[in-house]
Amino acid sequence: MKTVAELTDAVLSGAYGPDPADLPVISAFWLHHTTRLPGADVTYRNYYVLLRVGDAFGACSFEAGELDPSSCADASGMPLASLIESAPAPVRIAALDAYLASVDPHHLAAGATEIVLPAGPPDVRAKARDAAVAGLLDIQPGTKVALIGVVNPLVDAITALGGECLPCDFNLAVTASGLPVSRDMTAVLDQADAVVATGMTLSNGSFDVLLDRCLQQGMPLAVYAQTGSAVARAFLGHGVTALSAEPFPFSQFSARPSSLYRYVQSSA
């Protein structure tokens, strides 16, 4: 498995189980929320499309203006196969994620380790989540870690382990700790020893490039994913070496304990 297109073809051909043409979307959600953590001067603006199939949700984050809320009315009742084949990119990823999460739920999946995030305010829960993500890589003092998709608590978690964070993001110029943020993913990867990347690389089309570069350069790649968490999981052992999968409902939507699921590529 080398690309998202190959995974898509495999799902549509029945390689993962039930025919996605037989699985209709029950509910569709278009969500917009903003967050500013205490003491921060950055407001995160997040947009999600969510598709429910049975007891599973598929999720994809997208950029402002990329998807109209009317997509929800169009998606509900549609078979997953139709959306996987021809919907707008964020809906395609959410549909693919919903399918893979329905046939192999994270809470039942072989190889998944559940991490329960503590109850508390957003900054407490974000720090716990991002510490769990940073712990997926063997970060030693001086390790250069490309961070594709900047979350400030994750920058801090990488730095706390002794790593040198190399941040890359389309929407930020500088991190809360003062690190300059590059917009050039390739330039950042060329300097790195390891990579931590957001699942949003699935929705913006950069995931295949990232995967290929990490394979070519022999770099470990950890993915933290609310977007396409079950999609990213399909690439474990095929370029993705570790994954923090956070299925919906996400930690930012609750103050109570919630779960994410960590996977590490088998060494066998």
Side-chain angles (χ1 to χ4, degrees):
M1 193 76 62
K2 296 181 179 180
T3 66
V4 174
E6 288 183 4
L7 174 62
T8 299
D9 289 342
V11 166
L12 291 172
S13 70
Y16 284 81
D19 187 343
D22 296 331
L23 298 176
V25 173
I26 297 172
S27 300
F29 307 79
W30 187 100
L31 298 178
H32 174 215
H33 79 96
T34 64
T35 298
R36 180 176 291 207
L37 296 175
D41 58 2
V42 174
T43 298
Y44 296 101
R45 303 177 186 275
N46 300 306
Y47 299 83
Y48 296 94
V49 59
L50 302 162
L51 302 177
R52 184 169 188 170
V53 177
D55 59 0
F57 288 87
C60 184
S61 183
F62 57 90
E63 298 291 347
E66 191 176 357
L67 188 69
D68 190 88
S70 64
S71 60
C72 291
D74 298 333
S76 289
M78 292 287 290
L80 279 180
S82 296
L83 298 177
I84 291 170
E85 287 177 327
S86 59
V91 180
R92 290 201 309 271
I93 293 298
L96 193 60
D97 190 41
Y99 176 84
L100 293 168
S102 69
V103 299
D104 190 14
H106 288 296
H107 67 281
L108 299 176
T113 299
E114 183 178 14
I115 303 293
V116 178
L117 302 178
D123 54 329
V124 170
R125 288 166 59 74
K127 287 177 182 178
R129 179 193 62 206
D130 294 333
V133 173
L136 288 169
L137 290 174
D138 181 19
I139 299 175
Q140 301 296 323
T143 300
K144 295 181 178 180
V145 182
L147 177 59
I148 311 302
V150 173
V151 180
N152 282 309
L154 187 47
V155 175
D156 295 339
I158 291 169
T159 303
L161 292 172
E164 178 183 343
C165 187
L166 307 174
C168 178
D169 198 288
F170 290 142
N171 297 313
L172 292 175
V174 65
T175 69
S177 58
L179 296 176
V181 178
S182 174
R183 292 177 60 87
D184 187 342
M185 183 176 74
T186 300
V188 169
L189 293 177
D190 284 343
Q191 302 175 57
D193 303 309
V195 182
V196 179
T198 172
M200 272 196 75
T201 53
L202 289 162
S203 60
N204 67 24
S206 61
F207 181 79
D208 290 348
V209 174
L210 175 64
L211 198 69
D212 183 62
R213 289 296 296 271
C214 287
L215 283 168
Q216 286 186 14
Q217 296 175 213
M219 285 192 299
L221 168 60
V223 178
Y224 65 98
Q226 293 180 341
T227 291
S229 61
V231 178
R233 182 181 60 187
F235 292 90
L236 279 166
H238 300 277
V240 173
T241 53
L243 168 67
S244 172
E246 189 179 351
F248 187 79
F250 307 137
S251 58
Q252 63 265 42
F253 296 135
S254 174
R256 303 301 305 150
S258 61
S259 296
L260 58 80
Y261 300 87
R262 299 204 316 177
Y263 299 80
V264 177
Q265 175 186 339
S266 173
S267 59

